[in-house]
Each structure stands twice: as C-alpha cells, then as structure tokens.
Amino acid sequence: MRQIILFKLGEVALKGQNRRRFEKLLLDGVKRACAPFGSFHAYIAQSTGYVEPQDDTADVPGAYGACKKVFGISTICLAALCGKDMDEIYRTADEFLGPRLSELRTFKVEAKRADKQFPLRSPEICAEVGGHLLDAFPHLRVDVHRPDAIVYVEIRDRYACIHELAEKGEGGMPTGSGGRGMLLISGGIDSPVAGYMLARRGVVLNAVHFFSYPYTSERARDKVISLLKKVAQYSGRIHLHVVPFTEIQERMREKIDEEYFTLVMRAFMMKIADRVAKETNCGALITGESLGQVASQTMEALAVTNSFCTLPVLRPVVGMDKEDIVRIARRIDTFETSILPYEDCCTVFTPRHPKTKPQLGAVLRQLEKLDVEALIERAVGGIEWQMIEP
C-alpha cells in the first residue's frame, strides 16, 4: 500500500495575483521538512498540496510529522493510493482504515470525483464504499450527521486516494513571506513564544542573546540554543548572535543609579540589537515583552525602550497573560527548557526598587555617565554567531 501526504492551504488560498509566490514558499518549506526522511515530490493542485514518496525507502510517517509543523498548512492527513477500480478501492480502505474503523461505532463516506471520466458519480461512490464497509465491519452503522469518522474517497486523474478527516496544521503564512526579524531571546518562557508567533506570520528569524559570563553560566547559553532548536522545528534555521555583555553590566554597576539599572540595560540591548539587525537585513526587532508583567514592561518603560532603536519593535505577546503564553510554550515544547534554573543576564544585578514610570530624559542622563559608543563597539566586535538547525 502506497501512502502520500495531502494538505490544504490556509491563508495562501486567499491570495490574488501573487499567490504563486506564496505557494512556492510553502512548497519550499515542505521540501525542507521532508528532506531528512527521503526523496519526495511536492506540488499543489486546486488548493490541495500533495507530497509523494519517490521510492520505497522514504519515511512517509516521519515526513508527515515534519510537515505538520510547516507554516501555511491549514489541515493535513495521510492518504492511501490505489488504482481507479472499485475493488481496489475496497481493499485499500480495508487495509488503510481497518484498524481505525474497528475501534469506532459510526461512520459516513464522502467522495470527490475530480476525474469526470470515472463511471460512478460521487453519491454512487459513497453508496458503494459505504455498503462495502458495512459488510466488512458489521459492528458499524452509518451516521451522516455526527459520525465518529468520515471516510474520504477522492478520484484523481492518475489514481484514487482514501483518507480520514485531516488534522489541523500550524496555519499562518509560509516562511519567508513576512520578511526577516531579529528576536531578542533570553532563557525565559516569553521570547521563544514570541519568535514562534512571528515565524507563524512568515517571518524568517535571526536571534540575538546577551551573555554575561561568569555571572551567567555556559549552561545558560546552551539553554538558549536548545530553545532555538525547538523553535527552528517550525521556523527553519535561525542565525544566533551571542553578544558579550559582561563589561557593559560591570560598568553599569559602577556608575548607574540602581533604580535605573534595568532601563539602561534595556537601552544597550536595543541599541545593539538594532545595529545587528540592520547589518543582517532584518526589518524589525522581536521581543517577548508583555504589558505590565515586570517593571521594565510598563507602558512608560516600553516607550523609553523604543526610543533607543530605529527599527520597529514587534511584541506579539504584549496583550497576553502568562497562562496564554505558557499554553503556547507547552504546545511547541519550549516550556520545560525555559524553566531550567540557568538564569540569563537580565537577572544579574537586579535592582530592588526599579523605576516603573521612567522619563526618557532621566535615562539619558544616566547613560551620560558611560562611554556608550565604546562599550557598544567592543560588544559588537566580540559577537559570536552560529547557525541553529531544527
């Protein structure tokens, strides 16, 4: 029995004259996802995607699992192929769906006849296949309103295929359709979720992490890499830039008033991220800030933060509460890694009473105590980068 993967397009199907560009990006994502599992041919016809193995060595279930994480796919399913002959359709339905139907009580059949030369019309195909399944599985009964399973039979140009109800895909837009963004990633729960959410809108991710060794350990950096690998299962490869941040924080500890420490630190982060983003052709910065979650994420503090960069700052979780963010983190499998006890530089020298309603002028006066440009130049000069693969 030969199996293929079928998927339906999400928002791509709503596109107009530029639809082919989005379809190409979607197929590129599908091909990248399938590549580790063998040779596959992927194409789109009539708003349906097809992923066909090219030989018997291809791992179809493995490719199916990878395709479920490709942005731009609304629904996806495994289907069994057979010849356009009713007896062969019966045998394939028994073999492919038999274990599943044995566990259910009700079903119905839906048919789609794309090949109009096929002698039976769609209602007749439904009746014939339904009758056969009732004979083959006597415990079943037909329920056209609320069945436990729907058996789909499609008569295509070259073959027939049989499948059950499709699973929900990741949706969103194909990777590469939304530009490129620079994700400021710590080791917490929020920033990986923010990266996933923007990647779901077609944004190619770069990432920047601020590393304060020895105040933060090598395990903290390893934790960030692990988080990005999980996000990369959805977004594709990510360029990570690791910025040495120790000197900046030590100079801040010497000269900055404690209550302004977090705000000045964020100013340096935004300036550096903005610069690296421009150098790597990113059109925006991405952060995991959520309004009111901590002192540096009040409306006033966010306004001050924005003043230290020239690119737009995208904050996809800004209006979400922690439970919403955690729910997504669990689904994309970043939560357990995020809560590992290896803290990032944001926890170094944390002020006891941080400013929650800062004024930009006051923050600028604090920055005047430091040689800002020289510190930034040395930090940028020490950046280490690596490619994060799924």
Side-chain angles (χ1 to χ4, degrees):
M1 178 179 59
R2 186 179 174 210
Q3 296 184 16
I4 67 168
I5 300 166
L6 300 178
F7 63 85
K8 291 292 185 181
L9 281 59
E11 292 180 54
V12 173
L14 304 177
K15 296 298 176 182
Q17 295 181 352
N18 60 350
R19 175 169 167 172
R20 287 193 176 183
R21 171 178 172 267
F22 288 89
E23 288 184 348
K24 180 183 182 303
L25 290 170
L26 175 54
L27 288 176
D28 288 345
V30 168
K31 292 171 185 176
R32 285 194 299 270
C34 292
F37 301 97
S39 178
F40 291 85
H41 175 53
Y43 61 95
I44 294 171
Q46 298 178 328
S47 297
T48 299
Y50 300 82
V51 184
E52 300 182 0
Q54 298 300 285
D55 53 55
D56 293 338
T57 64
D59 178 4
V60 179
Y64 177 74
C67 286
K68 286 170 65 176
K69 297 180 178 179
V70 173
F71 294 125
I73 293 176
S74 63
T75 60
I76 186 169
C77 68
L78 275 176
L81 299 185
C82 62
K84 295 188 291 185
D85 172 81
M86 291 307 296
D87 287 335
E88 193 168 345
I89 289 172
Y90 297 154
R91 289 195 298 272
T92 303
D94 292 347
E95 181 180 356
F96 184 58
L97 298 177
R100 169 78 169 142
L101 293 175
S102 298
E103 300 173 351
L104 304 178
R105 297 176 61 85
T106 63
F107 78 104
K108 76 171 182 177
V109 179
E110 292 189 4
K112 180 178 180 179
R113 188 180 63 141
D115 177 9
K116 302 306 180 185
Q117 302 302 313
F118 192 76
L120 298 182
R121 296 182 178 181
S122 295
E124 296 169 326
I125 297 171
C126 292
E128 293 293 327
V129 174
H132 168 79
L133 292 176
L134 287 172
D135 292 337
F137 302 92
H139 70 285
L140 288 176
R141 63 181 178 85
V142 174
D143 183 345
V144 297
H145 299 295
R146 299 183 65 181
D148 295 333
I150 303 176
V151 176
Y152 292 90
V153 181
E154 299 188 32
I155 308 299
R156 295 283 172 179
D157 293 336
R158 294 185 292 117
Y159 47 71
C161 64
I162 297 167
H163 60 91
E164 202 190 333
L165 184 66
E167 294 184 80
K168 187 176 179 181
E170 283 297 320
M173 297 296 291
T175 300
S177 64
R180 184 181 294 273
M182 179 65 72
L183 172 66
L184 283 76
I185 184 163
S186 61
I189 298 169
D190 303 337
S191 52
V193 171
Y196 161 83
M197 292 178 69
L198 262 297
R200 191 170 182 265
R201 300 309 305 162
V203 175
V204 176
L205 296 179
N206 285 10
V208 60
H209 174 65
F210 296 90
F211 186 56
S212 290
Y213 184 82
Y215 302 105
T216 57
S217 69
E218 290 289 345
R219 288 186 175 183
R221 178 161 56 180
D222 294 341
K223 175 181 173 181
V224 167
I225 292 171
S226 297
L227 287 169
L228 288 176
K229 285 183 177 181
K230 292 179 181 295
V231 175
Q233 293 180 28
Y234 299 89
S235 69
R237 58 175 55 176
I238 301 171
H239 288 80
L240 170 63
H241 306 261
V242 180
V243 180
F245 208 55
T246 306
E247 183 188 8
I248 291 174
Q249 289 194 298
E250 288 179 339
R251 299 292 84 76
M252 287 170 52
R253 181 177 59 174
E254 294 169 1
K255 297 186 177 183
I256 300 300
D257 295 346
E258 182 184 355
E259 61 187 354
Y260 285 98
F261 194 93
T262 300
L263 292 160
V264 171
M265 180 182 67
R266 293 295 294 176
F268 272 102
M269 288 179 171
M270 299 307 279
K271 281 177 171 287
I272 293 171
D274 190 74
R275 175 169 167 174
V276 176
K278 290 176 181 176
E279 292 174 352
T280 54
N281 299 315
C282 293
L285 303 182
I286 304 165
T287 77
E289 292 163 308
S290 176
L291 187 63
Q293 189 175 117
V294 294
S296 63
Q297 295 174 16
T298 63
M299 196 170 292
E300 294 84 356
L302 295 178
V304 168
T305 297
N306 283 357
S307 67
F308 293 104
C309 56
T310 58
L311 292 175
V313 183
L314 305 180
R315 298 179 169 97
V317 303
V318 70
M320 300 171 65
D321 65 29
K322 201 66 175 184
E323 288 184 4
D324 295 331
I325 298 170
V326 167
R327 184 168 60 252
I328 296 174
R330 289 186 184 279
R331 190 172 68 79
I332 64 174
D333 193 30
T334 58
F335 178 76
E336 294 300 331
T337 302
S338 291
I339 62 175
L340 291 174
Y342 311 126
E343 297 181 327
D344 58 73
C345 70
C346 295
T347 63
V348 178
F349 314 136
T350 303
R352 290 166 292 179
H353 304 291
K355 281 282 186 182
T356 58
K357 295 185 177 182
Q359 296 296 317
L360 177 59
V363 178
L364 291 173
R365 286 191 291 274
Q366 292 291 319
L367 284 167
E368 289 173 357
K369 301 177 182 180
L370 300 169
D371 189 347
V372 173
E373 293 306 317
L375 288 169
I376 289 177
E377 284 297 327
R378 287 196 289 273
V380 171
I383 287 177
E384 298 177 4
W385 78 273
Q386 68 182 94
M387 184 74 75
I388 305 298
E389 300 284 354

